[in-house]
Amino acid sequence: MSKIVVGVDLGGTNIAGVLIDEKGELKGSKVWPTEAEYGPEHILRRIIELIRTLLEENGFTLNQLQGVGVGVPGLVNTREGRSIISHNLPGWKDIAVAQKIHEEINAPVFIENDVRMAAWGEKLLGAGQDKEDIVCLTLGTGIGSGIFIQGKMFKGRKESAGEIGHMTVEKDGLRCNCGNYGCLELYASGRGIARRAKEALANHTSSLILKLVNGDINQITAATVCTAAKQGDELALKVIKETALYLGIGLANVANLLNPQRIILGGGVMQAGELLLEPTREVVYSRALPLNREVEIVPAKLGEWAGAIGGAMLAKMQFIEGRSSLEWVW
């Protein structure tokens, strides 16, 4: 009888799940709406039902399920399996995620921050699987990261390492929600790109960006800017190039600090592709110290499935292979 594990990625909009066997082979996947507006208990029921549905639709039973790995947005306590808080999920505060899921499926459950779980996905099966020292960044509404040193994830003394999005890149910049000023997140995240595009449109009313949203400036997103840039819109290209400058400054600092072999960039902002990547590389290679310019800067491979895949692979390592987390976390 096959042994299987499930990985779940909880997002504010969708919940994604994958099922893999003891060989690491994908046996099923599913994504459906989170329905976060109905509160924490409803979300937990959705996760449990997703796990059960994945098993049933792919011919497996709960008796074959060896464990589950869940990526949760926001602050988490991995040792206790608790989600401390997630601002994208209404009412979500101090939730015993692992315990509540375990009570329903009778299998061990562990949780991790969703961005770190996505980083694990890329490290084990994506763009980072052939490297030991890598940094994975998710450029979405905000900016999060996962740092690997000699093949192990570095989380810091209180699991708060890797807040690259709150690195200062503009000394007199805007105030961030974190209380700092000039954070990278304010300039290179999806939200930051949209804000700067709206500001720039004050003097460029003929931009394709406006046409894409039928003149409603409030509907502009980073995706809108990326679409316009790919079609050669001058303003959009300017915003993307400016984004590359800020991102490149941040990544040059990361390269100098950690000397990674590879930096992997994922998230919605990467819809811009090489329009963002190439000028970002140029900034990094012009600002980093000579030995640190050897870092490769590449796009992520797993897309929206990275977090679920990371959760499943860690569940396999822990609950099927019996490996201690001490083997893969500093």
Side-chain angles (χ1 to χ4, degrees):
M1 185 170 66
S2 297
K3 295 180 179 180
I4 48 93
V5 291
V6 169
V8 176
D9 181 34
L10 171 61
T13 302
N14 293 316
I15 304 172
V18 300
L19 188 156
I20 65 173
D21 65 11
E22 65 264 39
K23 298 178 182 178
E25 294 180 357
L26 180 67
K27 295 298 182 180
S29 62
K30 197 170 194 65
V31 59
W32 62 23
T34 305
E35 299 179 354
E37 65 272 20
Y38 295 109
E41 291 301 320
H42 181 80
I43 294 173
L44 288 168
R45 286 196 299 272
R46 296 283 286 170
I47 293 173
I48 293 162
E49 188 59 31
L50 178 69
I51 294 169
R52 287 175 170 160
T53 301
L54 262 175
L55 295 173
E56 182 179 344
E57 290 184 350
N58 293 284
F60 296 98
T61 68
L62 276 174
N63 289 334
Q64 293 173 273
L65 181 62
Q66 304 300 301
V68 178
V70 185
V72 182
L75 298 175
V76 301
N77 183 322
T78 56
R79 289 180 293 275
E80 297 181 5
R82 302 185 73 86
S83 174
I84 308 304
I85 191 169
S86 177
H87 297 292
N88 294 329
L89 301 173
W92 189 274
K93 186 176 182 181
D94 194 27
I95 308 294
V97 177
Q99 176 186 335
K100 290 181 180 294
I101 297 175
H102 168 73
E103 289 173 354
E104 295 294 329
I105 63 171
N106 195 32
V109 179
F110 79 94
I111 71 168
E112 178 58 276
N113 167 265
D114 60 338
V115 174
R116 284 186 177 141
M117 205 70 102
W120 271 114
E122 291 293 337
K123 173 69 176 70
L124 297 172
L125 289 180
Q129 59 184 314
D130 59 337
K131 302 295 181 184
E132 292 291 291
D133 299 292
I134 64 175
V135 178
C136 299
L137 270 77
T138 297
L139 309 174
T141 303
I143 295 179
S145 74
I147 298 170
F148 293 92
I149 300 173
Q150 297 178 357
K152 295 184 178 183
M153 177 168 280
F154 178 71
K155 299 171 70 171
R157 185 169 60 89
K158 292 191 175 181
E159 298 193 30
S160 63
E163 290 291 349
I164 293 170
H166 296 289
M167 175 187 299
T168 301
V169 294
E170 187 70 80
K171 71 180 182 65
D172 296 317
L174 298 172
R175 182 167 186 145
C176 181
N177 289 335
C178 75
N180 187 26
Y181 293 85
C183 289
L184 176 62
E185 188 170 289
L186 292 172
Y187 298 90
S189 67
R191 187 166 44 198
I193 291 171
R195 174 185 55 76
R196 288 188 294 103
K198 293 173 185 177
E199 292 171 353
L201 281 167
N203 299 315
H204 294 79
T205 56
S206 62
S207 172
L208 175 61
I209 296 174
L210 274 178
K211 294 178 183 178
L212 290 172
V213 294
N214 297 316
D216 186 355
I217 195 170
N218 294 318
Q219 297 301 312
I220 293 172
T221 65
T224 313
V225 179
C226 291
T227 299
K230 288 180 178 179
Q231 296 183 39
D233 181 75
E234 182 179 344
L235 177 59
L237 287 168
K238 181 180 179 181
V239 172
I240 294 297
K241 188 172 183 179
E242 187 179 65
T243 301
L245 173 60
Y246 285 113
L247 182 59
I249 290 171
L251 296 187
N253 288 331
V254 170
N256 284 337
L257 180 66
L258 298 173
N259 185 218
Q261 297 163 286
R262 183 173 291 167
I263 295 175
I264 300 168
L265 302 180
V269 170
M270 287 308 298
Q271 291 180 42
E274 286 296 322
L275 285 177
L276 177 63
L277 269 174
E278 189 54 38
T280 297
R281 292 188 188 107
E282 292 176 3
V283 175
V284 174
Y285 299 153
S286 68
R287 289 174 177 263
L289 293 171
L291 287 177
N292 296 328
R293 294 173 195 163
E294 297 174 2
V295 62
E296 300 172 357
I297 301 173
V298 303
K301 287 185 177 180
L302 301 181
E304 66 178 355
W305 295 104
I309 290 171
M313 289 299 290
L314 287 188
K316 172 178 171 288
M317 290 162 62
Q318 186 168 348
F319 303 129
I320 293 181
E321 298 172 6
R323 295 168 60 184
S324 167
S325 61
L326 295 177
E327 293 184 39
W328 64 79
V329 177
W330 286 109

